[in-house]
């Protein structure tokens, strides 16, 4: 099966600019996750979707981050405006179920550098 | 607040030696526990989960509720085990995974 697809792979922007990331989950996977992984740390969940509904966005900095999954398939994560501390790898993952009994499948991530 | 601790950022062993990657958590109740692994130039992937009681690539993980630990073990390490390992508890079914900071395992020939 095709894996989770993410683009772009790399992005360099200046602080206060905007950026968007795209994720295409594995076909049929209802649950989609966006994680932020800062260098030297483990991934931290930003937002979790079940189909096109938000299940958990408690750790999403909503003043600058937004995400959507309008048709319950692809998703975009946006940062506006970016800060230096947003430099990280942004990982998208998907799974078949919500309860966590099925594994999460991760994409390659987007490495974001803020100048 | 719930926490997960992997005390060793780096762990180096020789091929054939036993290896133990430590994970401690501070969740109450009965969390579900996972180990994820990232090999060089590959994606993060599930290694094993406590609920399935399985052994993957020779690794096992024992849940010790008294010590709130979920250490990952393998009796004889192989060079291909070199990777970054993340412990990830899930407080309740359906809640988020909380990843530890990871342990970089290097198995030397």
């Amino acid at each position: 099966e095709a894996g989770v697809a993410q683009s772009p792979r790399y992005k360099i922007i200046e602080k206060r600019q905007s950026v968007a990331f795209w994720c295409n989950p594995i076909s049929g996977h209802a649950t989609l996750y966006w994680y932020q992984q800062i260098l030297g740390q483990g991934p931290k969940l930003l937002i979790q979707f079940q189909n096109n509904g938000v299940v958990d966005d408690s750790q999403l900095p909503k003043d600058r981050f937004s995400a959507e999954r309008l048709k319950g398939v692809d998703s975009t994560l946006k940062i506006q405006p970016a800060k230096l501390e947003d430099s990280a790898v942004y990982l998208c993952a998907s799974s078949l179920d919500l309860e966590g009994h099925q594994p999460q499948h991760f994409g390659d991530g987007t490495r974001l550098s803020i100048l | 607040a719930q926490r997960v601790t992997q005390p060793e950022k780096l762990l180096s062993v020789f091929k054939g030696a036993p290896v133990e990657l430590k994970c401690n958590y501070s969740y109450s109740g009965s969390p579900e526990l996972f180990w994820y692994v990232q090999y060089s130039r590959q994606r993060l992937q599930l290694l094993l989960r406590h609920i399935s009681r399985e052994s993957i690539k020779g690794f096992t993980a024992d849940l010790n509720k008294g010590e709130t630990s979920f250490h990952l073990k393998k009796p004889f390490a192989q060079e291909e085990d070199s990777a970054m390992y993340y412990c990830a508890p899930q407080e309740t079914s359906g809640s988020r995974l909380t990843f530890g900071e990871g342990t970089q395992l290097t198995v030397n020939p």
Side-chain angles (χ1 to χ4, degrees):
Chain A
E1 64 182 4
V4 175
Q6 289 189 246
S7 67
R9 288 296 307 276
Y10 306 92
K11 190 72 178 179
I12 301 173
I13 62 172
E14 295 184 347
K15 61 182 179 183
R16 292 188 288 273
Q17 286 188 321
S18 302
V19 64
F21 314 123
W22 174 81
C23 173
N24 182 238
I26 293 172
S27 178
H29 281 197
T31 308
L32 184 146
Y33 311 81
W34 281 104
Y35 288 89
Q36 179 192 58
Q37 186 172 20
I38 294 172
L39 186 65
Q41 300 181 17
K44 183 182 87 170
L45 181 71
L46 292 175
I47 189 167
Q48 178 180 341
F49 291 95
Q50 173 79 352
N51 296 311
N52 61 352
V54 175
V55 173
D56 183 351
D57 64 356
S58 58
Q59 300 187 119
L60 185 74
K62 298 179 186 64
D63 57 334
R64 297 183 301 106
F65 286 65
S66 64
E68 60 183 15
R69 194 184 184 199
L70 292 175
K71 296 183 179 180
V73 180
D74 293 5
S75 177
T76 56
L77 176 69
K78 297 179 181 178
I79 308 175
Q80 180 179 10
K83 292 185 175 182
L84 292 175
E85 60 260 35
D86 300 331
S87 292
V89 174
Y90 290 85
L91 295 166
C92 180
S94 69
S95 69
L96 275 171
D97 72 339
L98 175 62
E99 288 78 14
H101 301 316
Q102 298 297 322
Q104 294 186 26
H105 297 262
F106 285 82
D108 287 323
T110 297
R111 184 176 298 275
L112 175 66
S113 298
I114 311 294
L115 304 178
Chain B
Q2 299 87 355
R3 292 186 61 187
V4 53
T5 304
Q6 293 181 250
E8 301 135 331
K9 278 201 174 289
L10 302 171
L11 184 60
S12 182
V13 301
F14 286 102
K15 177 183 173 181
V19 63
E20 180 180 68
L21 294 90
K22 293 183 170 60
C23 173
N24 294 92
Y25 61 92
S26 64
Y27 291 67
S28 58
S30 299
E32 186 52 64
L33 293 138
F34 302 82
W35 278 96
Y36 277 77
V37 62
Q38 188 166 23
Y39 301 100
S40 179
R41 289 183 291 276
Q42 293 188 28
R43 300 176 177 191
L44 189 61
Q45 59 187 285
L46 178 67
L47 178 62
L48 61 79
R49 49 189 166 173
H50 171 251
I51 194 171
S52 58
R53 299 276 195 273
E54 57 198 349
S55 172
I56 303 294
K57 300 184 179 183
F59 283 96
T60 58
D62 293 325
L63 173 60
N64 186 321
K65 290 188 177 182
E67 295 180 359
T68 58
S69 67
F70 189 54
H71 302 330
L72 185 68
K73 302 178 183 180
K74 184 170 183 177
F76 307 103
Q78 303 299 314
E79 290 180 67
E80 55 265 31
D81 296 328
S82 295
M84 177 69 85
Y85 291 81
Y86 294 96
C87 179
Q90 182 184 40
E91 185 177 17
T92 57
S93 178
S95 66
R96 75 175 78 97
L97 292 179
T98 300
F99 286 83
E101 294 195 341
T103 297
Q104 178 67 51
L105 173 65
T106 301
V107 181
N108 299 298

